[in-house]
Amino acid sequence: FWNETKVKAMATVGDGGKPHIAPIHASFERGVLRTTIYVDAVRRADIRRNPEVALSTWGPGGAAAIVYGRASEIAGSEKETRPGASGAGRRTVGLAIAVHRIYAMKGRDGDTPAAG
């Protein structure tokens, strides 16, 4: 279920405890939750201060999954990525998220979320 949904939302804890949330792509790969973020993203600064994150995704039938974990940058993963709308180049860095809790809710049509 998790890998079949396109967009997830990732929340981080900002300066002074203020939340930040943004859409991302994240997938379980060989048992590890991975994603990328832009090197200049507010969430990157958040994670450096407090690596605890929450992610969520949902399906059209109402199934949903919420994942809690601890994010860390993947060494050597920084790379150039496609230009933004302005045409300016952008860079991303990979994150590995050590999952410590998953909540899953069955949808109305019977689809059942499963990590991985």
Side-chain angles (χ1 to χ4, degrees), residues 41-80:
V42 169
R43 287 170 295 123
R44 185 179 190 198
D46 291 350
I47 289 167
R48 287 180 167 175
R49 277 190 303 273
N50 180 349
E52 295 298 319
V53 297
L55 298 95
S56 182
T57 194
W58 48 93
I66 302 165
V67 175
Y68 296 91
R70 188 174 186 87
S72 60
E73 289 188 16
I74 299 169
S77 67
E78 188 173 321
K79 66 180 183 177
E80 192 75 25

